[in-house]
Amino acid sequence: MSAAWQAFFDELARWRDAGRTAEFWWRDDDAARPDAAFARLLSLAQRICLPLALAVIPMQSRKEIFENIGSMVSVLQHGADHANRAGPDGKKTEFAAAEPPAEAIARLSAARWQLQAQAGKHFLPVLVPPWNRLPKHLAGHLAAVGFRGLSRYGARSSAEASPGLRQVNTHVDILAWRSGRGFTGEDHALAGATRHLAAKRQGAVDPDEATGWLTHHAVHDEAAWAFLERLFETTRDRPALAWRRAEDLFRIS
Ligand SMILES: [Zn+2]
């Protein structure tokens, strides 16, 4: 076993020894079309039997993707159209600073009803902003139009992003976006998870936020798929470790 796997399991053992349960969750972004990569994602989730939170792009999604998604899959809302509205030098975002808040909220609201109509009982009113970016002032408007949760990237600063809007982020991105979008490598991915677990155990970040694994099925290479299989198989039935459903994390029943 590599040093990275060993360090990961050592950290999990510290949680077990402390009588605590390490909580994980799995978010996959950019679902929209029923292509081969999407079929592979669903087949992995079903075979491994772990809960999957699927962040679907409402304005691009085809209703066929919801036909056989199974009971372990929850659907989150990945923006509205996932179009980049940043200026030429800005970081990519669907929500440009100059856009009037009412316009952004109206777009998200319309997209929400469309996605909810397609996804039915699988839908959860949780927003996953594209590129994990949302201007601070917009978060405060989301609860009023029915959103109950928000999910971005990095350890959360508080359990609610604004009153009534529960926040559960992801912490381990398995892709290397700046160098070819392939798998980031076992060492890097596992070190990210080990670091978040240790920071939670030591109280440096919110210990009650489940550690989120972020995947993007459409761009996985074989190494990314192989890593996920191994991660899921080695953690699925491990004592003091639980893979959590999004509805439980966001407290939506
Ligand atoms: Zn995205």
Side-chain angles (χ1 to χ4, degrees):
M1 191 190 301
S2 74
W5 279 105
Q6 191 60 58
F8 176 63
F9 290 135
D10 287 349
E11 179 58 34
L12 288 171
R14 287 183 202 108
W15 280 74
R16 186 197 59 215
D17 293 348
R20 296 168 69 177
T21 297
E23 293 187 316
F24 287 167
W25 76 296
W26 176 19
R27 195 185 96 199
D28 183 274
D29 285 7
D30 296 346
R33 285 179 303 281
D35 54 16
F38 184 74
R40 189 169 182 177
L41 174 78
L42 281 195
S43 128
L44 172 62
Q46 278 159 10
R47 193 170 69 253
I48 218 82
C49 207
L50 286 178
L52 164 63
L54 197 60
V56 178
I57 305 169
M59 306 296 211
Q60 297 179 20
S61 84
R62 298 244 307 268
K63 68 176 190 314
E64 302 95 287
I65 67 171
F66 304 105
E67 274 165 11
N68 294 303
I69 60 176
S71 60
M72 298 298 274
V73 178
S74 326
V75 171
L76 315 183
Q77 178 172 341
H78 197 27
D81 58 12
H82 209 300
N84 180 23
R85 291 177 175 77
D89 301 323
K91 289 184 170 170
K92 287 182 178 175
T93 178
E94 180 175 329
F95 308 103
E99 183 180 33
E103 256 174 51
I105 294 297
R107 184 171 70 252
L108 283 171
S109 242
R112 181 196 156 175
W113 295 115
Q114 186 177 317
L115 183 59
Q116 190 163 4
Q118 285 189 341
K121 65 183 192 313
H122 297 283
F123 178 78
L124 300 180
V126 171
L127 178 67
V128 177
W131 300 285
N132 295 298
R133 293 196 183 101
L134 186 78
K136 208 171 174 157
H137 66 270
L138 275 188
H141 294 279
L142 293 173
V145 290
F147 286 99
R148 303 271 303 276
L150 177 67
S151 180
R152 290 174 286 185
Y153 192 79
R156 68 185 179 191
S157 50
S158 56
E160 289 194 327
S162 66
L165 193 71
R166 200 164 173 77
Q167 175 164 234
V168 187
N169 294 337
T170 52
H171 311 87
V172 186
D173 187 340
I174 71 156
L175 296 180
W177 294 95
R178 288 192 197 93
S179 47
R181 295 169 144 203
F183 178 45
T184 187
E186 281 189 353
D187 291 358
H188 194 259
L190 291 167
T194 304
R195 206 162 42 237
H196 187 239
L197 286 167
K200 288 198 292 183
R201 185 173 48 78
Q202 292 157 353
V205 298
D206 187 342
D208 296 325
E209 184 180 22
T211 299
W213 296 82
L214 175 59
T215 66
H216 285 78
H217 65 278
V219 290
H220 287 181
D221 53 16
E222 286 303 319
W225 289 115
F227 171 73
L228 286 179
E229 293 248 1
R230 184 167 178 198
L231 173 72
F232 295 152
E233 270 165 14
T234 54
T235 55
R236 188 175 46 180
D237 301 316
R238 210 169 181 87
L241 190 160
W243 283 90
R244 308 277 283 163
R245 299 177 70 103
E247 37 275 72
D248 297 333
L249 297 176
F250 290 97
R251 302 190 179 164
I252 299 166
S253 52

